[in-house]
Every structure is written in C-alpha cells, then in structure tokens.
Amino acid sequence: MVSGSSTNPKLTEQGFKGVFRVVGRDDQQGPAVANYLMETLKPKKAAVIDDATAYGEGLATRSRKTLKAAA
C-alpha cells in the first residue's frame, strides 16, 4: 500500500512490510515547521491553530511541543 496522505507515525510503526508513505510523518513535519519558524522568522510569539481533525491534530501537537521546548 502506498499512502499519499497518512502522516500518523503509527501507520508504519506497526511493522507492515508493504506499507509506504510519500509524505513526512507528523513527528517530522511538526518539528520542521516549528524549527523553521523559530530559526528563520524568529517571532516573539507564536500560535498553533488546531482544526480538531485527525490530520491536523498530530501536526498541531508536534508543532506545539517543539515550540514550547524552544521557548
């Protein structure tokens, strides 16, 4: 199976040998966005908007965690 939109790390952590994704995982995308924001734009404040969808939740959680660690 090739997934073009599954970003939850649990998908590939189950050990299935025939499951692949073509997008980064939430635990890669969230920190990447947060680090870019902090290193490039260097804001004094940042907000994370979580749309409460299954897709957005993982990204928001990982971004928020990285931003808090950088503060």
Side-chain angles (χ1 to χ4, degrees), residues 5-8 21-29 55 59:
S5 61
S6 299
T7 59
N8 191 315
R21 67 176 93 229
V22 296
V23 295
R25 298 164 31 141
D26 291 338
D27 57 350
Q28 296 168 330
Q29 290 185 56
Y55 175 76
L59 291 172

Side-chain angles (χ1 to χ4, degrees), residues 20-41:
F20 306 92
R21 67 176 93 229
V22 296
V23 295
R25 298 164 31 141
D26 291 338
D27 57 350
Q28 296 168 330
Q29 290 185 56
V33 168
N35 287 328
Y36 174 81
L37 178 68
M38 298 304 287
E39 294 170 10
T40 305
L41 302 177

Side-chain angles (χ1 to χ4, degrees), residues 14-70:
Q14 296 178 66
F16 301 123
K17 294 183 188 247
V19 175
F20 306 92
R21 67 176 93 229
V22 296
V23 295
R25 298 164 31 141
D26 291 338
D27 57 350
Q28 296 168 330
Q29 290 185 56
V33 168
N35 287 328
Y36 174 81
L37 178 68
M38 298 304 287
E39 294 170 10
T40 305
L41 302 177
K42 301 176 183 171
K44 293 181 182 180
K45 292 183 179 183
V48 176
I49 299 172
D50 183 353
D51 64 358
T53 63
Y55 175 76
E57 179 184 4
L59 291 172
T61 300
R62 298 295 181 149
S63 298
R64 189 179 302 111
K65 182 178 179 181
T66 303
L67 288 169
K68 284 184 178 181

